């Protein structure tokens, strides 16, 4: 169990706040009704986040930082807000001024090393306002790695800071010392900042909280399309926020221009009054000159009567001396009024120049505002197009998923058919194996018989040729018969039954040889006169076309068949299991 909180003894109680010790840590309990204390705490926390983020990002980057580095820019903005907190407003000839440059100039008096930075800031061209000089001082101190030391130096001299800050300002409280201690960590980073071309006078310091609220883990896990949409929405929100700040800046500048115009009118009225006063004084001088000349003339005229009128002459001299003193006073006042007139004319010129610059800045800001509005519209269109694209992609994904489901069903059917085909192939291979096992001996015997038949056919052809030769010789020996005697009819085709097995003769076991002079209908050749009949289709072909033997469904023994019937029977035997 944690110990009960104890109030630290000796802790300063300011604005009804106290320091509480609990679980080894001190906690500052603020009065919720004190908004200044809450502002100080918020600025201190923002300074912590900014310094921590800058150090981590700089170490990860591993190189010298420049002016365009976003965390460094945000650090300067946060420091500017911290230094502006609780500043006293000083009245000047041109109006009210509220800048922290006066407080930073104290460092030069307290630390001689800071004199170089202050001189460099004053020598920089283009810096016209104290705010710009203060921003340049912060950048030079960071590059010199002495920002923490300088801040500690001025925070320790609260008696001098009280001239510039209110008693409840951040620089006058403990939060300022905490921030000065946090700045020590910035000595590990290197920065190279170029301020010659940078406009430090007119920059608008706005804290970008999105840099400290990003969630990198979630964005890395999100899809590419969602990341693009998120980036577009972030850009849109940033542009809108920047648009609001620019609008506020435009309103502030417009109010400043109005105030300057009012002060210009007031100064014009004062100048007219001064001119009238100068004219009056000039008339008084002329009158005094006339009176003095008149008195001189009267004195010259009365010199002759000086012996008789001594007291009147003394009184006249006294009056002349008074008039001379009065004339000198009037001339001095006239010189003062002339100097004031020159100063007012100079201030009028400066005001006119400042008004022209403010108007130019106002025109530029309005142009930037229009550009931001155009960018905002473009981002809106991009957002809409991205939404439409995401919807189309989701629909395409749904259609693809449906096709994938269909294809998966088709693949399952094909796998089933493939398995069935494999089973049928295995059955066919088994049937082929059994067929070869059953008919292997028969096929060998049929091949032997076919060889015997080929030899027998060759013998028969040889005998037929010899018989043709004998008939030709016999016909050439016999005398020619009378023309009226008819030729004997040609003998019909001779059929020879050749016994293949045993002594008995049968149609199923013999080969039918037909002597026919016609052409074979399968190979369309007429070289041989021997013809055979297919036992399957009963057609007559040449001997070469009817040379195959297979067992028919009607007989177990092999029979002579033609080439076409042979291929058909083999296919039917291969597809039909035994």
């Amino acid at each position: 169990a944690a110990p009960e909180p104890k109030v630290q003894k000796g802790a300063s109680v300011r604005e009804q706040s106290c320091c509480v010790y609990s679980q080894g840590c001190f906690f500052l309990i603020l009065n919720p009704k004190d908004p200044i204390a809450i502002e100080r705490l918020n600025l201190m926390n923002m300074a912590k986040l900014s310094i921590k983020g800058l150090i981590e990002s700089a170490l990860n980057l591993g190189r010298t930082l420049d002016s365009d580095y976003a965390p460094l820019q945000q650090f300067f903005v946060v420091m500017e807000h911290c230094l502006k907190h609780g500043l006293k407003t000083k009245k000047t000839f041109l109006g009210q001024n509220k800048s922290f440059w006066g407080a930073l100039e104290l460092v030069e008096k307290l630390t001689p090393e800071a004199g170089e930075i202050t001189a460099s800031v004053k020598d920089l061209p283009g810096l016209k306002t104290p705010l710009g000089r203060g921003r340049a001082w912060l950048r030079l101190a960071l590059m010199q790695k002495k920002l923490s030391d300088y801040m500690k130096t001025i925070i320790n001299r609260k008696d001098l800071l009280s001239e510039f800050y209110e008693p409840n300002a951040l620089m006058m409280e403990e939060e300022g010392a905490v921030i000065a201690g946090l700045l020590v960590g910035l000595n590990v980073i290197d920065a190279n900042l170029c301020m010659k071309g940078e406009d430090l006078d007119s920059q608008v310091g706005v804290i970008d909280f999105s840099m400290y609220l990003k969630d990198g883990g979630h964005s890395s896990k999100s899809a590419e399309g969602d990341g693009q949409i998120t980036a577009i929405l972030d850009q849109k929100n940033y542009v809108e926020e920047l648009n609001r700040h620019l609008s506020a800046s435009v309103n502030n500048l417009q109010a400043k221009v109005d105030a300057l115009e009012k002060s210009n009118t007031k100064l014009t009225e004062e100048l007219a009054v001064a001119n009238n006063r100068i004219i009056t004084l000039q008339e008084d001088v002329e009158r005094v000159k006339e009176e003095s000349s008149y008195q001189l003339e009267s004195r010259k005229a009365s010199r002759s009567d000086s012996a008789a009128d001594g007291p009147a002459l003394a009184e006249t001299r006294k009056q002349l001396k008074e008039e001379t003193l009065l004339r000198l006073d009037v001339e001095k006042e006239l010189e003062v009024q002339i100097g004031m007139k020159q100063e007012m004319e100079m201030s009028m010129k400066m005001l006119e120049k400042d008004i022209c610059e403010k108007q130019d800045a106002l025109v530029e800001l309005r142009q930037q505002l229009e550009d931001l509005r155009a960018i905002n519209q473009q981002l809106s269109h991009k957002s809409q197009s991205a939404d439409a694209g995401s919807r189309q992609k989701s629909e395409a994904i749904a259609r693809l998923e449906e096709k994938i489901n269909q294809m998966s069903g088709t693949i399952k059917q094909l796998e089933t058919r493939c398995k069935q085909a494999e089973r049928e192939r295995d059955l066919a291979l088994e049937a082929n194996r059994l067929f070869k096992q059953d008919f292997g001996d028969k096929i060998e015997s049929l091949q032997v018989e076919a060889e015997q038949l080929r030899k027998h056919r060759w013998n028969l052809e040889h005998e037929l040729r010899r018989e043709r030769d004998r008939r030709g010789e016999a016909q050439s020996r016999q005398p020619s018969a009378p023309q009226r005697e008819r030729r004997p009819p040609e003998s019909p085709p001779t059929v020879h039954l050749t016994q293949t097995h045993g002594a008995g003769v049968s149609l199923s076991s013999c080969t039918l040889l037909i002597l026919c002079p016609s052409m074979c209908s399968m190979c369309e050749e007429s070289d041989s006169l021997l013809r055979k009949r297919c036992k399957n289709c009963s057609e007559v072909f040449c001997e070469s076309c009817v040379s195959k033997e297979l067992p028919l469904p009607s007989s177990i023994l092999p029979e002579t068949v033609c080439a076409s019937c042979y291929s058909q029977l083999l296919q039917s035997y291969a597809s039909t299991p035994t």
Side-chain angles (χ1 to χ4, degrees):
E4 295 182 358
K6 298 179 181 179
V7 178
Q8 185 187 11
K9 295 182 179 180
S12 62
V13 179
R14 182 172 295 151
E15 298 167 353
Q16 297 181 357
S17 62
C18 63
C19 191
V20 177
Y21 177 81
S22 176
Q23 299 181 2
C25 299
F26 287 99
F27 297 95
L28 185 64
I29 301 176
L30 300 175
N31 187 3
K33 296 182 181 180
D34 187 7
I36 306 299
I38 297 174
E39 288 179 3
R40 291 198 306 269
L41 185 61
N42 291 338
L43 288 173
M44 184 183 70
N45 292 329
M46 284 305 303
K48 286 182 181 179
L49 291 175
S50 177
I51 295 170
K52 181 180 178 182
L54 178 60
I55 294 173
E56 291 178 354
S57 60
L59 294 177
N60 294 330
L61 189 63
R63 63 176 178 83
T64 304
L65 306 182
D66 51 8
S67 301
D68 297 332
Y69 194 54
L72 186 60
Q73 294 177 355
Q74 286 300 309
F75 165 72
F76 287 129
V77 171
V78 173
M79 286 300 299
E80 182 180 339
H81 280 78
C82 293
L83 291 172
K84 284 183 178 179
H85 184 264
L87 272 175
K88 290 182 179 179
T89 303
K90 290 187 176 182
K91 295 182 179 180
T92 60
F93 182 74
L94 297 177
Q96 295 180 351
N97 185 14
K98 190 176 183 180
S99 174
F100 55 88
W101 169 242
L104 296 179
E105 283 183 319
L106 294 175
V107 182
E108 182 181 5
K109 300 177 182 178
L110 301 174
T111 306
E113 299 176 0
E116 182 181 355
I117 297 179
T118 307
S120 300
V121 169
K122 292 179 180 179
D123 294 339
L124 280 175
L127 295 179
K128 301 177 182 178
T129 61
L131 179 61
R133 297 189 188 95
R135 291 171 175 172
W137 190 92
L138 288 176
R139 284 158 173 78
L140 291 175
L142 180 65
M143 285 193 291
Q144 200 179 13
K145 296 185 179 181
K146 293 292 185 67
L147 183 59
S148 175
D149 298 336
Y150 295 156
M151 294 298 292
K152 287 180 180 178
T153 301
I154 59 175
I155 285 174
N156 292 333
R157 296 298 302 271
K158 291 184 173 56
D159 54 341
L160 299 177
L161 285 178
S162 60
E163 181 183 355
F164 302 96
Y165 289 98
E166 300 290 342
N168 55 359
L170 184 140
M171 298 292 290
M172 303 292 290
E173 297 292 339
E174 289 83 357
E175 288 85 357
V178 173
I179 293 175
L182 293 173
L183 292 174
V184 178
L186 297 179
N187 295 335
V188 300
I189 64 175
D190 297 326
N192 186 11
L193 308 176
C194 181
M195 291 171 287
K196 288 185 178 180
E198 192 173 359
D199 188 9
L200 299 177
D201 292 329
S202 60
Q203 286 183 359
V204 180
V206 181
I207 300 176
D208 186 8
F209 293 97
S210 61
M211 295 182 62
Y212 313 107
L213 300 177
K214 288 182 179 178
D215 188 4
H218 178 70
S219 60
S220 61
K221 297 179 181 178
S222 61
E224 183 178 358
D226 295 337
Q228 293 177 356
I229 294 173
T230 305
I232 291 172
L233 292 176
D234 292 340
Q235 292 177 3
K236 180 182 177 182
N237 294 331
Y238 177 73
V239 169
E240 290 178 352
E241 185 68 21
L242 189 59
N243 190 359
R244 287 195 292 270
H245 287 300
L246 285 175
S247 300
S249 301
V250 168
N251 294 330
N252 293 332
L253 289 175
Q254 189 66 39
K256 289 181 180 179
V257 169
D258 295 338
L260 288 174
E261 289 178 354
K262 292 179 180 178
S263 61
N264 189 9
T265 305
K266 185 177 179 181
L267 288 174
T268 305
E269 294 175 356
E270 292 179 357
L271 182 61
V273 172
N275 290 330
N276 296 330
R277 178 65 176 167
I278 289 170
I279 292 170
T280 305
L281 290 174
Q282 289 176 353
E283 292 177 354
D284 292 338
V285 168
E286 293 294 333
R287 184 174 56 79
V288 169
K289 287 180 179 180
E290 292 177 357
E291 290 179 356
S292 61
S293 61
Y294 175 75
Q295 289 178 1
L296 288 173
E297 291 177 357
S298 61
R299 189 178 64 177
K300 289 178 182 180
S302 61
R303 278 181 181 176
S304 59
D305 302 331
S306 58
D309 197 5
L313 182 60
E315 186 177 357
T316 303
R317 287 179 180 178
K318 183 178 180 181
Q319 187 176 3
L320 179 61
K321 189 176 181 179
E322 291 177 357
E323 292 292 338
T324 305
L325 294 175
L326 180 61
R327 178 183 176 184
L328 292 175
D329 293 337
V330 170
E331 287 179 354
K332 289 180 180 179
E333 188 176 357
L334 181 61
E335 291 176 357
V336 171
Q337 292 294 332
I338 291 172
M340 290 180 64
K341 179 181 178 181
Q342 292 176 355
E343 289 180 359
M344 292 177 71
E345 289 178 353
M346 184 63 67
S347 63
M348 287 290 294
K349 291 180 180 179
M350 293 176 64
L351 281 174
E352 289 177 357
K353 184 178 179 180
D354 196 7
I355 288 171
C356 293
E357 291 177 356
K358 296 295 183 182
Q359 288 178 352
D360 295 337
L362 190 62
V363 172
E364 292 179 358
L365 286 174
R366 286 177 179 171
Q367 184 65 31
Q368 292 179 4
L369 187 60
E370 294 296 331
D371 295 340
L372 287 174
R373 286 176 181 172
I375 293 171
N376 194 0
Q377 292 178 358
Q378 293 178 2
L379 290 175
S380 301
H381 294 317
K382 286 183 180 180
S383 169
Q384 294 175 1
S385 61
D387 292 338
S390 63
R391 286 195 296 269
Q392 292 178 0
K393 288 180 181 179
S394 61
E395 292 175 359
I397 289 170
R399 290 196 297 270
L400 289 175
E401 288 178 351
E402 185 178 357
K403 288 183 180 179
I404 288 170
N405 295 330
Q406 294 177 358
M407 291 176 69
S408 61
T410 306
I411 289 170
K412 289 181 181 179
Q413 294 178 0
L414 290 175
E415 289 178 352
T416 305
R417 291 182 182 178
C418 182
K419 291 179 181 178
Q420 186 177 0
E422 289 179 353
R423 287 197 296 269
E424 292 178 355
R425 187 190 65 180
D426 295 338
L427 292 174
L429 291 175
E430 183 67 20
N432 189 14
R433 186 182 64 78
L434 294 174
F435 177 79
K436 287 181 180 179
Q437 185 178 357
D438 293 340
F439 294 96
D441 299 335
K442 294 181 181 180
I443 290 172
E444 292 178 358
S445 62
L446 289 173
Q447 289 177 353
V448 173
E449 290 178 1
E451 186 67 26
Q452 292 176 359
L453 289 173
R454 289 193 193 93
K455 292 180 180 180
H456 187 66
R457 183 189 68 182
W458 184 81
N459 293 330
L460 288 176
E461 288 179 353
H462 186 65
E463 290 177 0
L464 182 60
R465 291 193 191 96
R466 286 188 297 177
E467 184 68 23
R468 285 179 181 174
D469 295 338
R470 286 197 301 271
R471 285 184 181 182
E473 291 176 359
Q475 288 178 2
S476 62
R477 292 174 184 175
Q478 292 179 1
S480 59
Q483 293 181 358
R484 66 175 178 269
E485 187 175 351
R486 297 181 179 177
R487 292 181 61 183
E490 295 182 358
S491 60
T494 306
V495 179
H496 297 274
L497 295 176
T498 305
Q499 185 177 359
T500 58
H501 295 286
V505 179
S506 63
L507 291 174
S508 62
S509 61
C510 65
T511 304
L512 182 63
L513 298 178
I514 304 173
L515 295 177
C516 184
S518 61
M519 184 181 295
C520 178
S521 61
M522 183 174 291
C523 63
E524 296 181 356
E525 294 180 359
S526 60
D527 295 337
S528 177
L529 297 175
L530 295 177
R531 296 288 184 268
K532 289 184 180 181
R533 186 182 299 278
C534 178
K535 294 296 184 178
N536 187 36
C537 61
S538 301
E539 297 291 335
V540 178
F541 305 101
C542 66
E543 188 176 8
S544 62
C545 295
V546 189
S547 61
K548 307 290 184 180
E549 290 185 357
L550 274 179
L552 299 176
S554 60
S555 65
I556 301 176
L557 297 176
E559 301 291 342
T560 304
V561 294
C562 61
S564 62
C565 293
Y566 181 78
S567 60
Q568 292 177 2
L569 289 172
L570 281 180
Q571 291 178 1
S572 63
Y573 289 159
S575 61
T576 305
T578 57

